[in-house]
């Protein structure tokens, strides 16, 4: 296996990604949108004790709707679910959605969404994404390289005492099937092992990204800060979100199983995961017109998807830059590179 041209979810043909980032004074939040081609099948797997989602029941294989028009990942906790309204409106303007009436434009766009907690991280509790941010992210969607780090839904994200963010990765299987992942990392758990190395570093493709060598003194200081911060945790104030996509032909049940196995990528890159403080959610998309996969090829696809999720988490953490105390209303958000190095 090897990464696609962008090493991102947009290597899956027809997949587009857009971000809306709010990081001006008093704001540290945003929205990310994955826009698949018409006729894309979807599935979902929701875990953890504090999820916030919209339209996930429609993706159950027992239910009628069989196509997804977009997937929204947003900051803002429950308030941020309103970002999906802007995406729904933009899709309806284009006449895209589930045909609910005989007339032109009588459609209902199908837009599952999930949110993460970032309220108050720039000092103002009620600054959160809404329909305007959802529409802006949708209109910004492209099939090119995906911006990573503190952008979109990852703008105000944290991960185990470090700054979190957006990451993406892809893999092209020997069969020619492509799979990719987009992850918004905002976890209670840490992406670090005790020695300061990233837990999923071993899953990176050789030469994929530059990983700093941890300094033992800086790492010890990080763990001391992280232990102090853990005392202030409250339920439902984290969550890692992901979208995995492939051009292999899968039905809704296959997408649900792909999402379930992709959760393994969380467990290889973050510790702990799926806690009562997190609302970890993975969506899976299968674009139309691709090749069918037999059961053994499906296992290979699931394995690659989980690896892409882990790699995307590493890439998110490495791309995220520190935000100083002034920008966060007094709560410093240190980058991984700053946390493991005495030089920064």
């Amino acid at each position: 296996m090897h990464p696609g041209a962008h090493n991102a979810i947009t290597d899956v043909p027809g997949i587009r990604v857009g971000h809306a980032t709010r990081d001006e004074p008093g704001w540290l939040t945003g929205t990310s949108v994955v826009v698949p081609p018409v006729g894309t099948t979807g599935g979902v797997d929701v875990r953890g004790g504090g999820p916030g989602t919209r339209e996930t029941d429609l993706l159950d294989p027992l239910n009628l709707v069989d196509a997804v028009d977009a997937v929204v990942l947003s900051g803002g906790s429950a308030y941020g679910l309103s970002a999906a309204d802007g995406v729904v409106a933009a899709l309806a303007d284009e006449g895209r959605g589930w045909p609910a009436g005989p007339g032109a434009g009588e459609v209902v766009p199908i837009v599952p969404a999930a949110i993460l907690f970032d309220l108050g991280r720039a000092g103002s509790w009620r600054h959160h994404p809404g329909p305007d941010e959802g529409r802006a992210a949708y209109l910004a969607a492209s099939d090119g390289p995906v911006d990573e780090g503190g952008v979109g839904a990852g703008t105000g994200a944290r991960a185990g005492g470090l700054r979190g963010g957006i990451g993406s990765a892809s893999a092209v299987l020997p069969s020619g099937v492509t799979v990719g992942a987009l992850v918004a990392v905002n976890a209670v758990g840490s992406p670090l092992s005790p020695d300061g190395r990233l837990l999923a570093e071993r899953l990176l493709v050789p030469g994929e990204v530059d990983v700093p060598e941890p300094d033992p003194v800086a790492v010890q200081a990080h763990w001391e800060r992280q232990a102090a911060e853990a005392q202030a945790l409250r339920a439902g104030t984290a969550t890692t979100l992901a979208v995995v996509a492939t051009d292999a032909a899968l039905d809704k049940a296959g997408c649900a199983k792909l999402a379930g196995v992709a959760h393994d990528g969380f467990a290889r890159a973050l510790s702990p995961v799926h806690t009562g403080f997190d609302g970890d959610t993975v969506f899976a998309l299968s674009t139309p017109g691709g090749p069918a996969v037999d059961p053994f090829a499906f296992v290979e696809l699931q394995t690659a998807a989980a690896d892409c999720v882990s790699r995307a988490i590493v890439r998110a953490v490495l791309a995220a830059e520190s935000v100083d105390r002034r920008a966060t209303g007094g709560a410093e958000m240190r980058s991984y590179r700053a946390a493991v190095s005495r030089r920064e």
Side-chain angles (χ1 to χ4, degrees):
M1 300 182 194
H2 59 85
H6 302 309
N7 197 8
I9 192 172
T10 50
D11 289 320
V12 178
I15 295 290
R16 296 182 289 135
V17 172
H19 300 305
T21 300
R22 299 295 303 271
D23 56 1
E24 63 268 34
W27 291 79
L28 206 59
T29 189
T31 299
S32 300
V33 178
V34 177
V35 185
V38 174
T40 292
T41 304
V44 67
D45 191 302
V46 181
R47 304 187 188 182
T53 60
R54 165 175 168 158
E55 300 278 42
T56 51
D57 284 350
L58 284 176
L59 303 182
D60 189 312
L62 296 176
N63 294 332
L64 177 64
V65 170
D66 60 358
V68 171
D69 297 302
V71 177
V72 173
L73 310 181
S74 185
S77 190
Y79 301 108
L81 287 172
S82 64
D85 293 340
V87 180
V88 168
L91 286 160
D93 290 344
E94 299 175 1
R96 178 172 173 178
W98 180 262
E106 294 181 354
V107 297
V108 178
I110 305 301
V111 182
I115 47 83
L116 54 81
F117 185 94
D118 57 12
L119 297 176
R121 290 183 180 165
S124 179
W125 188 265
R126 292 294 296 275
H127 283 177
H128 60 82
D132 289 345
E133 285 73 27
R135 178 181 284 273
Y138 174 79
L139 295 177
S142 79
D143 59 2
V146 173
D147 289 339
E148 297 178 308
V151 298
T155 304
R158 298 175 66 94
L162 301 175
R163 192 177 187 195
I166 291 287
S168 195
S170 70
V172 181
L173 281 60
S175 64
V177 165
T178 300
V179 62
L182 180 81
V183 182
V185 186
N186 187 57
V188 165
S190 175
L192 275 62
S193 60
D195 64 1
R197 294 192 177 278
L198 291 159
L199 289 168
E201 182 179 333
R202 63 182 180 82
L203 296 174
L204 291 171
V205 175
E208 183 171 5
V209 288
D210 173 46
V211 182
E213 188 70 21
D215 177 86
V217 174
V219 170
Q220 178 62 31
H222 161 73
W223 286 119
E224 291 172 359
R225 286 191 301 271
Q226 198 267 353
E229 290 181 7
Q231 302 304 312
L233 285 175
R234 299 182 305 280
T237 56
T239 291
T240 299
L241 308 173
V243 180
V244 296
T246 182
D247 56 1
L250 303 176
D251 58 13
K252 290 176 71 174
C255 286
K257 177 55 69 175
L258 182 63
V261 176
H263 269 282
D264 293 351
F266 286 178
R268 294 168 188 156
L270 299 164
S271 180
V273 294
H274 307 144
T275 73
F277 297 93
D278 297 285
D280 301 333
T281 299
V282 178
F283 297 96
L285 303 174
S286 170
T287 58
V293 291
D294 63 36
F296 293 102
F298 189 32
V299 171
E300 181 182 48
L301 174 62
Q302 293 167 329
T303 302
D307 286 350
C308 284
V309 168
S310 294
R311 289 167 48 215
I313 290 171
V314 171
R315 293 174 62 90
V317 172
L318 288 173
E321 299 179 352
S322 295
V323 179
D324 65 27
R325 294 180 184 275
R326 290 169 299 174
T328 59
E332 183 180 20
M333 296 175 66
R334 292 170 59 85
S335 72
Y336 169 70
R337 296 180 187 276
V340 303
S341 173
R342 284 188 291 178
R343 297 190 300 273
E344 300 187 34

